[in-house]
Amino acid sequence: MKNRLKVLRAERNWTQSDLAKALDVSRQTVNAIETGKFDPSLPLAFKAARVFGLAIEQIFDDEHQQSD
């Protein structure tokens, strides 16, 4: 799953630690999500959306989704 967490975090001059605190997860979890090594749970994806004030689809992209 692709995501824009790193870009959104950088736009706000947040460190991975800052975002981890906002999401109540470890910095390592943020790093794993940003690098695509870990897909967030649905509750964590919703929390990220709330933190950035965006829809989940504006942050996470299901690269396996097929177009019609």
Side-chain angles (χ1 to χ4, degrees), residues 41-58:
S41 66
L42 190 55
L44 182 54
F46 272 109
K47 196 168 192 176
R50 282 193 302 272
V51 165
F52 289 112
L54 299 169
I56 288 177
E57 298 84 1
Q58 293 175 296

Side-chain angles (χ1 to χ4, degrees), residues 1-7 9 16 19-20 23-48 52 59-61 63:
M1 176 182 297
K2 294 181 181 178
N3 70 75
R4 297 181 52 228
L5 277 187
K6 187 173 183 176
V7 171
R9 180 175 59 76
Q16 286 184 339
L19 181 56
L23 296 175
D24 198 26
V25 297
S26 69
R27 186 197 59 75
Q28 290 82 3
T29 298
V30 170
N31 182 61
I33 295 170
E34 285 185 356
T35 57
K37 295 178 182 171
F38 174 76
D39 288 336
S41 66
L42 190 55
L44 182 54
F46 272 109
K47 196 168 192 176
F52 289 112
I59 301 173
F60 300 98
D61 179 29
E63 57 192 289

